[in-house]
Amino acid sequence: MFERFTAAARQVVVGAQAQARDLGHDRIGTEHVLLSMLAEEDGAVARLLRPLDLATARADVRRIYPSDRPDLSFTEADDEDAAALKAIGIDLDKVRAAIEESFGAGSLRLPKPAPRKRGIFGKFYASGGHIPFSPRAKKLLELSLREAIRLHQNFIAPEHIMLGLLREGEGLAARILADHDVDFRKLRADLENALKNEAA
């Protein structure tokens, strides 16, 4: 199946892994695929999804699906929490300064986990290890192939991947699109038109 992927579609898959890794997630979901397509600002998918952009979608993913690696640095401490702690004599800035003075700057941030051992000789991969696709993300990629076949096209472009995402329709990416009032029918028609123009 991957031999049919265009260079841009392969970049979507590679970018999805990078998005998952950047967010500290242990698997690649539909949301990471969406983020990867939005990262290509000049790509047809990102243009068709405007005004939704990468920063907004990443914020949505962080809100709905927080990182597996929490940050203890107090940098995003809620103002109400900080005020409540201050009322009982605890100043977060002073606590942070004292900890960093004792243990070094940035010591409250958890380090990235070490790469897992792989292979029979226990070699480590420099990339930080492979992040697997969730079953829903795998289904999305299979549906992108079905969309290409339905449109009588022998290649899979990012637009086909987006069509697969819309067809799957139940993942976190679909939820983000729905939350931003994306009209799935209109987007589907626009994607198909873009593909017809690309194939011509």
Side-chain angles (χ1 to χ4, degrees):
M1 177 170 96
F2 284 107
E3 64 276 359
R4 292 187 181 205
F5 277 53
T6 64
R10 289 174 195 228
Q11 183 54 46
V12 167
V13 174
V14 171
Q17 182 164 357
Q19 292 291 335
R21 184 171 284 117
D22 287 349
L23 289 166
H25 297 161
D26 62 357
R27 54 115 186 113
I28 300 167
T30 61
E31 64 276 13
H32 304 108
V33 176
L34 174 64
L35 293 175
S36 181
M37 287 188 280
L38 288 170
E40 295 298 321
E41 294 176 2
D42 295 330
V45 173
R47 283 194 312 269
L48 291 171
L49 286 174
R50 285 187 184 122
L52 179 61
D53 63 5
L54 178 62
T56 303
R58 277 180 69 96
D60 289 345
V61 170
R62 282 191 177 115
R63 177 179 48 81
I64 298 168
Y65 176 40
S67 172
D68 296 333
R69 296 188 310 260
D71 186 355
L72 303 176
S73 64
F74 304 125
T75 56
E76 295 181 16
D78 185 48
D79 290 339
E80 291 178 13
D81 291 340
L85 289 170
K86 197 165 201 160
I88 60 171
I90 300 172
D91 184 339
L92 288 180
D93 291 330
K94 288 182 181 177
V95 170
R96 182 187 308 111
I99 291 171
E100 289 187 347
E101 184 178 316
S102 297
F103 299 102
S107 57
L108 288 170
R109 288 188 201 94
L110 294 179
K112 290 186 177 181
R116 296 182 199 155
K117 287 186 176 185
R118 298 280 185 157
I120 59 174
F121 299 109
K123 293 182 180 180
F124 288 98
Y125 290 104
S127 68
H130 172 72
I131 299 176
F133 280 86
S134 70
R136 195 174 300 277
K138 287 179 185 176
K139 182 178 179 183
L140 179 162
L141 294 175
E142 290 171 12
L143 290 172
S144 69
L145 173 62
R146 290 186 188 172
E147 289 292 329
I149 291 168
R150 183 181 65 80
L151 295 169
H152 306 289
Q153 295 171 329
N154 63 357
F155 63 93
I156 299 172
E159 294 90 336
H160 293 107
I161 296 172
M162 189 67 207
L163 287 169
L165 190 152
L166 295 173
R167 187 169 173 183
E168 191 279 329
E170 295 180 11
L172 181 52
R175 177 178 168 187
I176 290 169
L177 294 174
D179 286 351
H180 289 278
D181 299 321
V182 171
D183 182 336
F184 284 31
R185 284 186 182 161
K186 181 180 182 324
L187 180 57
R188 175 174 281 285
D190 291 345
L191 288 162
E192 289 179 11
N193 286 333
L195 283 165
K196 286 175 188 171
N197 293 336
E198 189 175 321

